[in-house]
Amino acid sequence: GEDVEQSLFLSVREGDSSVINCTYTDSSSTYLYWYKQEPGAGLQLLTYIFSNMDMKQDQRLTVLLNKKDKHLSLRIADTQTGDSAIYFCAESHMNTGFQKLVFGTGTRLLVSP
Amino acid sequence: KAGVTQTPRYLIKTRGQQVTLSCSPISGHRSVSWYQQTPGQGLQFLFEYFSETQRNKGNFPGRFSGRQFSNSRSEMNVSTLELGDSALYLCASSSEFGGGGYTFGSGTRLTVV
């Protein structure tokens, strides 16, 4: 079935690293995404990874994929107060033509000075 | 390059009325999808259109419908509004099959009173 799970809340200090975790349903052909939502705004695509990859790095962002445990994580290095937002993990499958995103519940990241 | 544009940003309607929301995708993007975001249900997929054809549909009642025009602009319609239809409606566009990630608009906040 379709199920993407995330922890609800994470609090860090400015300058620390943040790690947001997600578990997803298994598929051999899956894209996994991280989106950021600030108050009153839409969703901003941060990064994505295909299921045949283990890691992807983009500036301060590192995505790690553990296919065995069906676990995805987003690490934000040197977290800033501007990173405070809700972060959504999402997946799309080849069996739906990658046309449909299934989202997790979102993790609220609070960065304190 | 202009992003995904949704109009209007805010809307207040009365129960029983109908509403039409509009979405203009990024120039060159042919895939448009719609999502409903509520505090209780999170982000849920409504439908996806490509070249004026609906390719995928979520689990919503028939009161929710959509269409796509030849210029890729899309509209969604909700008839006989219910209080539970109050939500943020998000539109997203993609250049091809969506595997590379969808770009979201800022959304339309619909309040049904």
Side-chain angles (χ1 to χ4, degrees):
Chain A
E2 300 170 340
D3 195 14
V4 179
E5 296 186 357
Q6 300 178 239
S7 52
L8 291 180
F9 187 75
L10 177 65
S11 180
V12 300
R13 301 292 292 267
E14 191 173 27
D16 289 347
S17 291
S18 306
V19 180
I20 302 171
N21 296 301
C22 169
T23 57
Y24 63 97
T25 54
D26 191 21
S27 171
S28 60
S29 296
T30 301
Y31 277 97
L32 295 145
Y33 310 85
W34 284 104
Y35 282 90
K36 175 185 180 182
Q37 186 176 38
E38 298 183 77
L43 300 172
Q44 176 191 352
L45 176 64
L46 293 175
T47 187
Y48 64 93
I49 190 170
F50 190 57
S51 53
N52 66 353
M53 299 171 65
D54 297 321
M55 186 184 88
K56 183 177 181 180
Q57 188 156 4
D58 184 2
Q59 299 182 335
R60 292 191 299 125
L61 305 179
T62 302
V63 177
L64 293 177
L65 177 58
N66 182 327
K67 289 183 283 293
K68 175 177 174 290
D69 295 336
K70 292 175 277 186
H71 182 266
L72 181 75
S73 67
L74 173 69
R75 178 178 180 270
I76 306 173
D78 188 26
T79 313
Q80 302 298 306
T81 54
D83 294 324
S84 293
I86 300 176
Y87 291 79
F88 290 94
C89 167
E91 62 172 356
S92 65
H93 295 278
M94 178 183 277
N95 59 8
T96 57
F98 304 111
Q99 297 152 12
K100 169 184 175 182
L101 295 175
V102 177
F103 284 90
T105 51
T107 299
R108 185 178 296 273
L109 174 65
L110 178 62
V111 183
S112 54
Chain B
K1 194 174 186 182
V4 178
T5 303
Q6 292 189 245
T7 57
R9 285 297 310 275
Y10 302 93
L11 208 48
I12 300 175
K13 290 286 188 178
T14 305
R15 269 183 303 174
Q17 287 187 313
Q18 74 166 18
V19 67
T20 299
L21 311 181
S22 178
C23 173
S24 293
I26 290 173
S27 178
H29 284 192
R30 295 166 64 189
S31 171
V32 174
S33 53
W34 290 88
Y35 291 81
Q36 181 196 65
Q37 185 177 27
T38 60
Q41 299 298 316
L43 282 153
Q44 293 188 292
F45 172 78
L46 280 156
F47 25 66
E48 190 264 359
Y49 288 87
F50 184 86
S51 292
E52 302 179 66
T53 300
Q54 185 183 89
R55 297 194 298 185
N56 216 320
K57 189 177 188 306
N59 295 323
F60 279 81
R63 299 185 298 106
F64 290 82
S65 63
R67 59 177 175 168
Q68 186 181 34
F69 302 94
S70 58
N71 62 358
S72 294
R73 190 178 71 86
S74 177
E75 290 181 346
M76 68 163 282
N77 183 277
V78 187
S79 62
T80 320
L81 284 165
E82 300 176 0
L83 295 178
D85 297 332
S86 294
L88 180 65
Y89 290 89
L90 293 162
C91 165
S93 76
S94 174
S95 60
E96 36 182 296
F97 59 85
Y102 282 89
T103 301
F104 281 79
S106 298
T108 295
R109 171 77 62 185
L110 172 65
T111 302
V112 182
V113 297

